[in-house]
Amino acid sequence: MAQSNCGKLSLVTGASTGIGLELAKCCARDRMDLVIVADEPQIQDIAAELRALGAAKVEAIEADLSNERGVDKLIAVVGNRPVEHLIANAGRSLGDAFLDQYWQAARHVADTNVIGTIYLIHALGRRMRDAGHGRILITGSSAGFMPGRRQAVYNGTKAFLDSFACALREELKDTGVTVTCLMPGATETEFFNRADMMDTEVGAEEKMDPADVARQGYDAMMAGKGQLITGWKNKMQATMSHMIPAGQLARRQARQTVPGMLKH
Ligand SMILES: NC(=O)c1ccc[n+]([C@@H]2O[C@H](COP(=O)([O-])OP(=O)(O)OC[C@H]3O[C@@H](n4cnc5c(N)ncnc54)[C@H](OP(=O)(O)O)[C@@H]3O)[C@@H](O)[C@H]2O)c1
């Protein structure tokens, strides 16, 4: 018989919108207790929605996960409770060419996607390993397979996470803790708007439904799978990326992220 997840603690970062919100809904429907986190006050409104779906307890935290102070705030809220599901999903991007970006904005992308994410996993992952069970889900991206013009920092951070997740999974393989990397392709969320990319081909094209993406990632995490690339197009791209030189991949991807290149 499948083990009940009722009352187990799940932590979801970036749960206010998009894929993270949908991942939190999957947890709520399975009646888990939830700690949800995002940077803006909107996260407070999400708690009631998740309770209505079945979560017994939901704590909503506002914290900037790009720095250790924000992550420490989150860890303090968790306290000594064992975390069963750690869903490290918060992330952001930024359009524009690297040298035309403000340094602080570019750094915020790298700090959120990489430093904040691995700092959180370092702190809570140790506890999960000591407890001898738990599931970690990291939202990487199929963008991690290719260098991205006007997405140089973002794609680099996702290449890091895709690789990191795989390595951590191997390190934890005999501990009872599994690591799953969710690698979505373009998904219909606030992501492109926030990155100021709505006038690019990838910003404007039809994208995957975040609820479908999250469900696939959630199921993969619960099954203890290593990685999940969403959508057949993205799976094909991932396969091709192992055969095509990086320079060619960057050129192919470039037209998707250049403003004013919308398909008519
Ligand atoms: N959408 C796509 O096409 C796509 C494709 C592949 C991978 N992904 C990845 O999927 C994940 C979720 O993105 P999404 O598409 O769902 O975008 P989204 O709707 O913009 O959601 C991003 C979430 O992350 C939170 N967040 C961002 N920076 C944060 C920070 N410094 N501290 C705390 N929370 C922060 C946001 O909260 P606030 O608004 O409060 O900051 C929001 O809850 C990201 O890691 C993204 O890289 C997205």
Side-chain angles (χ1 to χ4, degrees):
M1 199 172 77
Q3 234 191 334
S4 165
N5 291 297
C6 189
K8 289 184 176 166
L9 184 63
S10 301
L11 189 157
V12 186
T13 72
S16 59
T17 57
I19 298 168
L21 171 59
E22 297 300 332
L23 284 164
K25 286 183 187 171
C26 292
C27 297
R29 287 189 194 100
D30 278 350
R31 304 197 173 280
M32 298 168 185
D33 290 348
L34 273 159
V35 173
I36 54 170
V37 198
D39 198 15
E40 304 288 336
Q42 188 189 348
I43 191 70
Q44 303 296 344
D45 304 332
I46 303 300
E49 196 179 331
L50 295 175
R51 278 188 210 104
L53 284 175
K57 291 186 201 148
V58 185
E59 288 160 273
I61 317 295
E62 277 171 62
D64 180 357
L65 300 176
S66 70
N67 60 67
E68 291 186 5
R69 194 153 23 107
V71 178
D72 285 341
K73 180 177 171 184
L74 168 60
I75 292 169
V77 170
V78 172
N80 292 327
R81 288 177 290 174
V83 175
E84 189 62 29
H85 308 103
L86 170 53
I87 301 182
N89 164 81
R92 57 177 63 241
S93 182
L94 188 62
D96 233 340
F98 174 60
L99 296 182
D100 296 329
Q101 294 170 345
Y102 288 110
W103 167 243
Q104 290 305 338
R107 183 180 169 160
H108 195 237
V109 172
D111 283 345
T112 301
N113 297 5
V114 175
I115 301 300
T117 300
I118 65 169
Y119 179 55
L120 177 67
I121 293 170
H122 190 261
L124 296 184
R126 280 184 165 187
R127 292 204 220 159
M128 295 167 84
R129 182 185 61 183
D130 292 347
H133 55 86
R135 305 210 179 280
I136 298 174
L137 178 69
I138 299 173
T139 307
S141 174
S142 62
F145 294 122
M146 59 202 106
R149 184 175 159 189
R150 302 177 75 85
Q151 290 291 289
V153 174
Y154 176 75
N155 284 26
T157 64
K158 291 296 167 173
F160 177 96
L161 287 181
D162 293 351
S163 164
F164 172 81
C166 196
L168 186 64
R169 176 180 176 80
E170 192 58 26
E171 288 183 6
L172 293 178
K173 77 173 173 203
D174 298 318
T175 65
V177 180
T178 59
V179 181
T180 303
C181 190
L182 170 60
M183 301 170 181
T187 307
E188 197 60 67
T189 67
E190 299 294 318
F191 178 87
F192 295 96
N193 196 18
R194 284 180 173 148
D196 200 15
M197 292 174 67
M198 293 310 286
D199 62 344
T200 62
E201 197 172 295
V202 65
E205 74 183 6
E206 199 181 325
K207 295 186 257 305
M208 286 190 73
D209 177 353
D212 287 346
V213 169
R215 172 48 65 185
Q216 290 180 43
Y218 181 82
D219 288 347
M221 173 186 78
M222 296 306 276
K225 291 189 178 154
Q227 62 177 53
L228 192 280
I229 301 169
T230 58
W232 65 268
K233 239 170 85 179
N234 302 317
K235 286 189 178 82
M236 287 230 317
Q237 266 183 2
T239 308
M240 300 277 284
S241 70
H242 298 303
M243 297 184 262
I244 298 175
Q248 245 183 67
L249 282 174
R251 273 193 296 281
R252 277 178 175 221
Q253 202 259 1
R255 68 184 304 267
Q256 281 215 302
T257 52
V258 175
M261 291 284 283
L262 301 185
K263 278 183 192 158
H264 297 291

